[in-house]
Amino acid sequence: MTTGRIGGCQVSAVPDGEGPAKAVPPRSFGEEGARLSYGAYLRLPDLLAQQVPQSSAPDELLFITVHQVYELWFKLLLHELEQARDAMAEGELWLAGHKFRRVHAIERVLVEQVEVLETMTPQDFLEFRALLAPASGFQSVQFRELEFLSGAKDAAYLERFRGASDAEVARLRRRLSEPTLWDAYLTALSRRGLPISDDEIMESLLTVARDRGSHDDLWRLAEDLLTHDETAAHWRMRHVQMVERQIGTKSGTGGSTGAPYLRGRTLLHYFPLLWELRSWL
């Protein structure tokens, strides 16, 4: 067999009697393709230009980077949780379970990421903290979207966001009106013929828990929801511990009470009935 090139394609010539020569298209990946670089695909020049400290404090770059990375993870979590919700509502329970496994992995990263911030001492933080006001993590629109999507809807937040754009407020309003993860799970129960009225829902959850042979997929989804709830609570607890370690009982830069407000949020449950279920088993 011999090879050559015709019109930009590599041609393989086969011995007599074995058929015609075949033109093989040029490779369009790797260095030969030269169509898209790593930096261009990830838009690295733009991405790496977004860390703009407001001071000369050495640790401000750390602070900005960690919080920007959080927002990127929040964006991905919203994407995955939306797909998990829609899969539950449409009866594709295997797909919902797959999405939840990814969500749980991301949420564990969020918890571990707190440790990176804790490498910053209170003295280091105080070098630039005053420059942050009135900016605050309280103003994270994506974080509130995650809470709304998970079932912790509170319209009062729409009036409390400082500097939120019209598009961001519209996103929050959409989250307030759209189905939650719990709504989608109830739809999955209903598809299985289980009643979901307020008076009957606990009995349906007990049926799922006690008849794993018939409803194991629904039971595993309930556990996925509970893991999402538990891991989010774990993150909130690690976050408030980090805040207390950094600023004690000082007020937040956004005007909240700081750690006391955050500690109150650690009691939040997205799916209280799934926690109550344990008492009935």
Side-chain angles (χ1 to χ4, degrees), residues 181-222:
L181 293 171
W182 183 245
D183 294 329
Y185 185 70
L186 293 182
T187 300
L189 291 177
S190 181
R191 280 175 169 269
R192 193 63 57 87
L194 296 167
I196 57 173
S197 69
D198 290 345
D199 294 335
E200 298 171 298
I201 181 60
M202 183 56 71
E203 190 60 37
S204 292
L205 293 176
L206 285 168
T207 298
V208 169
R210 291 168 176 166
D211 188 358
R212 298 278 298 281
S214 301
H215 303 299
D216 187 61
D217 50 355
L218 288 171
W219 169 256
R220 284 186 282 110
L221 274 179

Side-chain angles (χ1 to χ4, degrees), residues 1 24 40 73 78-79 83 95 103 106 118 127 132 137 150 152 158 163 193 203 205 219 222 225 228 231 247 258 260:
M1 177 183 292
V24 180
W73 285 127
L78 286 168
H79 175 74
Q83 292 187 70
L95 178 58
V103 165
I106 295 169
E118 286 185 330
E127 286 189 47
L132 303 180
S150 297
L158 272 64
E203 190 60 37
L205 293 176
W219 169 256
L225 289 169
H228 167 51
T231 312
I247 65 171

